[in-house]
Amino acid sequence: MRAVVLESVPSSPAVTEVDTPRPETGELLVKVAAASLNGIDIATAAGYTQGFMEHRFPLVLGGDFAGTVEALGEGVDGFAVGDAVFGLVLKPYLGAGSLAQYVTVSAGHGVARIPAGLTVGDAGALGVAGLTAVVSLDAVALAEGETVLISGAAGGVGALAVQLAAARGAKVIATARPGAQTDFVTGLTGTETHVVDFTADLEGQVRAIAPEGVDVVLHLAGDGAALAALLRPGGRLASATGLTQDDVKGHDVTVHTIMAAPGPKTLTSLAEQVASGALRVPVTATFPLEQATEAFTAFGAGTPGKIAVSCS
């Protein structure tokens, strides 16, 4: 099969031929129709993930997928060949990813059916970013009327978090670069989102909106300690980039270090929100599998939203 592969790290990904995987006990073999890029794909290629996850080469990149069940491993219940499914790859190592024509995934974790009204392209860009956004908001228990600062709002996780936070009735302050990124973030929910320029005086801009500090920070990019300083006393911060409580000593705040939970119920809920029109998957560019290296270039250039890859 064709796949986006690293032969070593750090190195640049290339599209090449690798063996088609076979489903093990409890797994589905999925023929991938769509996938997308996430920050961990970039970090893996740069060699940043070697210290905390096993790498198996040739290393197929990719975490998100959408497609159809091609085969069932032994002991699988609840799915059938031909089912349209989506989700995220949850392996204890890196190397069996979804930027490929086929992927194997656990039938019990990280996979759900694609409901009517959700396109395959959107489904293939929803799993990792959607789960990270939901888990982050749940960890800080964002409530109606609270003010949340979302750092990295123009990225895939941030764009979904902005929408989900606004739907909870929160006052949203979102960071973005002036120009295309700001226009993109503003277009997610309309004028109720306050967009601030993280390349300028971020503290001054945030304090002008929330003089006493914000209630919640979603740390998806940038200097986490500096963002924590913008919280009111007793505020909460969720970090998807590894910030811990020890990193904010001296601040009266609580830090939650986030890993995306693989709950199929959460995946289904996200899918239904997209299908109903309540949530938009922010796909802004789609590349065919054979041009996936160009997708990585676009990601590195700061293209806002989700960058999708068509694998069929």
Side-chain angles (χ1 to χ4, degrees):
M1 70 174 184
R2 304 292 284 172
V4 181
V5 170
L6 299 172
E7 296 292 347
S8 62
V9 292
S11 67
S12 297
V15 181
T16 188
E17 198 77 19
V18 297
D19 292 338
T20 301
R22 295 182 178 181
E24 296 181 357
T25 299
E27 289 189 331
L28 307 174
L29 175 66
V30 177
K31 184 176 183 180
V32 182
S36 71
L37 270 60
N38 291 287
I40 191 171
D41 299 313
I42 310 303
T44 299
Y48 297 151
T49 58
Q50 291 182 85
F52 64 90
M53 284 195 78
E54 178 190 352
H55 289 43
R56 296 186 185 179
F57 298 97
L59 190 154
V60 179
L61 291 164
D64 292 314
F65 70 89
T68 55
V69 176
E70 185 84 357
L72 307 175
E74 186 178 345
V76 171
D77 291 318
F79 290 96
V81 171
D83 284 349
V85 296
F86 80 107
L88 63 163
V89 179
L90 296 165
K91 304 276 188 180
Y93 60 91
L94 293 174
S98 58
L99 287 168
Q101 292 176 309
Y102 294 90
V103 68
T104 55
V105 297
S106 169
H109 302 282
V111 61
R113 286 181 176 78
I114 300 176
L118 176 62
T119 68
V120 169
D122 280 351
L126 181 58
V128 172
L131 283 173
T132 304
V134 169
V135 172
S136 297
L137 291 169
D138 287 349
V140 294
L142 181 68
E144 183 177 358
E146 290 191 311
T147 300
V148 56
L149 171 62
I150 300 177
S151 179
V157 179
L160 288 164
V162 165
Q163 298 175 70
L164 293 166
R168 294 188 184 200
K171 182 178 183 179
V172 179
I173 305 173
T175 72
R177 289 184 182 276
Q181 283 194 2
T182 291
D183 292 343
F184 168 74
V185 173
T186 302
L188 294 170
T189 62
T191 55
E192 63 264 30
T193 297
H194 301 267
V195 183
V196 294
D197 176 8
F198 68 86
T199 67
D201 177 14
L202 181 60
E203 180 176 4
Q205 295 171 84
V206 172
R207 294 288 181 184
I209 301 166
E212 304 301 318
V214 298
D215 300 295
V216 169
V217 166
L218 261 57
H219 173 222
L220 310 174
D223 184 339
L227 293 166
L230 299 176
L231 285 162
R232 62 165 176 78
R236 297 100 66 199
L237 182 149
S239 176
T241 64
L243 193 79
T244 68
Q245 193 71 48
D246 288 342
D247 296 320
V248 295
K249 289 179 178 177
H251 295 289
D252 177 20
V253 301
T254 301
V255 174
H256 303 269
T257 306
I258 300 302
M259 292 291 287
K265 289 184 179 179
T266 306
L267 283 172
T268 298
S269 173
L270 284 164
E272 289 173 347
Q273 289 178 69
V274 177
S276 72
L279 182 67
R280 177 165 66 89
V281 182
V283 174
T284 55
T286 301
F287 294 82
L289 182 63
E290 291 297 327
Q291 295 176 17
T293 54
E294 296 176 28
F296 278 79
T297 299
F299 193 108
T303 300
K306 289 288 294 182
I307 297 174
V309 175
S310 174
C311 300
S312 57

